[in-house]
Amino acid sequence: MTLNTRPLILISNDDGVDAKGINSLIESLRLLGDLFIVAPDGGRSGLSCAVTSKIPIRAMLIKEEKGLTIYSCSGTPVDCVKLALGNLLPRKPDLIVSGINHGNNASVNIHYSGTMGIAIEGALNNIPSIGFSLCTHKPDADFSQAVSYSALITKHILEKGLPKGICLNVNIPYGTEVKGIKVCRQAAGNWSEEFEERTDPHNGRYYWLTGVMMNMEPDCTETDEYAIGEGYVSVVPSKIDLTAYEYMEDLKYLEI
Amino acid sequence: MTLNTRPLILISNDDGVDAKGINSLIESLRLLGDLFIVAPDGGRSGLSCAVTSKIPIRAMLIKEEKGLTIYSCSGTPVDCVKLALGNLLPRKPDLIVSGINHGNNASVNIHYSGTMGIAIEGALNNIPSIGFSLCTHKPDADFSQAVSYSALITKHILEKGLPKGICLNVNIPYGTEVKGIKVCRQAAGNWSEEFEERTDPHNGRYYWLTGVMMNMEPDCTETDEYAIGEGYVSVVPSKIDLTAYEYMEDLKYLEI
């Protein structure tokens, strides 16, 4: 492979440009290509595919060396991708990698996740895209196993690509020896008891987001949550076309 | 129908509790059930399924009369739904209605839309949910046709329900006599030229989100964008399970 054909990989995340997860990933992916990072200038968890339209955003060049460019950005994770693709990158990247997120994004968490917002934005732009997440919120989490599996999967997808409109949601178990990789479907899940009510010193009521994620099909062996629970890295191919084709015919009664 | 069995409908939006779209909708849906509104205290466009986790949120009771309760909320559209379901509503609602959004949410806009974030959150909680959007950004837009079709579709879904995990993305054309309703699939689309670069008085560079939405399959008659262009209300049944089942087998090469 000559210098000119080295793949160009765009990397972002939702934990911010200084997070351990993205920096571990950067180190391990340098072997695979030229890296271009545009990541939020602080934590932006739970921002889904949100974009910033009412205020302008800014980007700051942090590092520029051979094969590695790093920008921080004041916007959302998806803003980072859009700004990279439209304004900052020298050319369309060969791959977009997001993470490694500090926390599980399996099951329905794909809807809330900024990490997966990045991968979905990549797929919307017809670029193979992968979101990696480590299933722990432990502050001093060890990302080493996650990095090895992320690099391995990234290498495969760089070679093989992904079909149009599909990105990967990859979750890596924590606190266990990883047994391998499983291709899974998204588990049906639900968050419960989501807001905790408190009273401020001025007697005003306020609410903190909290809650517990419930796997609604714990015995089903086909899901990402099951694979993670068994010590496997889960890989869910995820679509940007949300159409429920199987229900279109039944819904025709609405047509007038 | 006795008073005790009147349906309970949760209404929210992403344009804010004072927006014309939501207030037009409230007026027309009062005939169909008891309405409970929890809507953002200002505009929250483009927030997708974002949730607020780093700061607490607040809610304010604005109106409480027979069959109509209105709260404003400092959070995102999805925060409004979660707070309503977990803390504010007297019981699980029979239906969640979002909008009427001031602007098109067809095609891939479903991923960025706070209006559709609300409907997706409803489906995640196993409640039939519909997002309504009017395809114009005209500041003084006339919502009357949109209101008629929204009320009609709401009435149908109240009666028939929706399958688990499916919500509706409904878009109403503007500036034309609406010809009818079509059940469609999500058009493949793409936003281009998304950030406009400017320089501030201190010579700092900043970027405004802008861009143009491109329909990538303008000749296909099956899509929501096509139906809207032809003067029809588009209804896309949309799934919360993003798994690309058709690609799982091909991806098995990743398994180790």
Side-chain angles (χ1 to χ4, degrees), chain B residues 83-94:
Chain B
L83 190 66
L85 296 181
N87 302 65
L88 303 178
L89 277 161
R91 66 176 177 88
K92 191 170 180 174
D94 301 291

Side-chain angles (χ1 to χ4, degrees), chain B residues 177-204:
Chain B
E177 186 71 32
V178 174
K179 288 186 192 150
I181 299 174
K182 292 264 187 221
V183 176
C184 318
R185 68 168 175 81
Q186 176 187 319
N190 207 336
W191 280 86
S192 66
E193 297 166 22
E194 296 196 278
F195 279 104
E196 184 181 310
E197 188 178 322
R198 295 195 181 177
T199 305
D200 70 27
H202 318 292
N203 225 23

Side-chain angles (χ1 to χ4, degrees), chain B residues 145-162:
Chain B
Q145 271 197 122
V147 163
S148 305
Y149 281 92
S150 301
L152 177 68
I153 291 170
T154 300
K155 194 163 176 297
H156 275 298
I157 301 303
L158 259 182
E159 281 165 15
K160 305 239 186 184
L162 283 170

Side-chain angles (χ1 to χ4, degrees), chain A residues 5-26:
Chain A
T5 62
R6 268 176 76 80
L8 177 61
I9 304 174
L10 173 63
I11 301 178
S12 191
N13 75 346
D14 74 355
D15 291 325
V17 72
D18 295 323
K20 193 173 174 180
I22 196 169
N23 286 292
S24 314
L25 191 64
I26 290 168

